[in-house]
Amino acid sequence: MSASAENEASTKQESGPSGAVQDDQKKITVRTGDGEVFELNEEVAMEMETIKTFYQEDDKCETVTMPLPNVERWELQKVIEYCSKYLELKNKEDFDRKLKVFQAEFIKSLSPKCLLCLANTANYLDIQYLQDFICQSVADHIKNKDVEYVRELFEVENDFV
């Protein structure tokens, strides 16, 4: 993603380092593993099954900050960006084409290691459509690569020697 597009996306979603969202929707507060606090729009937060379950099971949790110990700040920012855009495009005409254009731009600046981290984050937060997209992106990235490259990428030790 270009720097200007990334700035525009983050400006729409957050205000300042706390990740506070600027509109009047109900907010869900979460804390990442590296200590960053985010106030998510309820609509975006409910796309994350882990958060949705937490808030559906406990009626007092609206006043509690949900810890996300397995999620780093940058990962949550990327997840918020993706989920927000997905929701924005969801009911629009030509959804598939517009989503593919966004997805191509979304992964452009991400290294394979970042994609793997985001795949783990999508799995932890249980966002199936994001997990499917990222796993397919990783699969496309390692397609036709040699075994040594894949071992290095996934940090798999060669124990056959």
Side-chain angles (χ1 to χ4, degrees):
M1 175 179 285
S2 69
S4 63
E6 194 166 306
N7 265 349
E8 182 178 293
S10 65
T11 303
K12 288 179 185 174
Q13 186 59 35
E14 13 178 330
S15 65
S18 69
V21 184
Q22 292 181 342
D23 56 56
D24 295 329
Q25 289 186 4
K26 185 176 175 185
K27 306 293 191 264
I28 305 287
T29 307
V30 298
R31 181 186 324 276
T32 61
D34 52 354
E36 195 71 31
V37 175
F38 286 79
E39 286 186 340
L40 307 176
N41 282 335
E42 182 179 28
E43 182 182 31
V44 172
M46 293 303 117
E47 290 294 298
M48 305 171 203
E49 289 296 320
T50 302
I51 294 174
K52 185 177 184 178
T53 302
F54 179 80
Y55 281 91
Q56 287 176 341
E57 289 180 355
D58 186 357
D59 59 344
K60 296 177 185 173
C61 62
E62 290 181 13
T63 60
V64 174
T65 299
M66 180 182 178
L68 298 173
N70 297 338
V71 179
E72 300 276 327
R73 174 182 181 255
W74 74 268
E75 294 166 333
L76 187 58
Q77 287 174 324
K78 286 304 215 179
V79 167
I80 292 168
E81 176 187 349
Y82 189 90
C83 290
S84 296
K85 188 65 169 185
Y86 185 89
L87 288 170
E88 176 188 321
L89 297 174
K90 192 174 181 177
N91 296 319
K92 299 235 173 162
E93 193 173 307
D94 205 12
F95 168 75
D96 290 332
R97 185 189 64 76
K98 289 177 181 176
L99 184 63
K100 285 188 189 311
V101 168
F102 169 70
Q103 288 173 332
E105 194 65 30
F106 182 80
I107 64 165
K108 194 182 284 186
S109 66
L110 297 174
S111 71
K113 296 264 188 204
C114 289
L115 284 174
L116 292 173
C117 290
L118 282 176
N120 287 331
T121 300
N123 181 52
Y124 176 73
L125 294 173
D126 196 6
I127 311 167
Q128 193 61 50
Y129 60 85
L130 177 57
Q131 187 176 1
D132 291 344
F133 162 64
I134 292 177
C135 288
Q136 184 61 55
S137 298
V138 171
D140 291 345
H141 183 78
I142 64 172
K143 186 177 184 178
N144 299 325
K145 299 289 195 256
D146 66 4
V147 174
E148 288 306 314
Y149 176 83
V150 175
R151 278 191 183 126
E152 185 178 316
L153 178 65
F154 290 106
E155 298 176 357
V156 175
E157 184 180 325
N158 183 0
D159 58 355
F160 292 118
V161 285

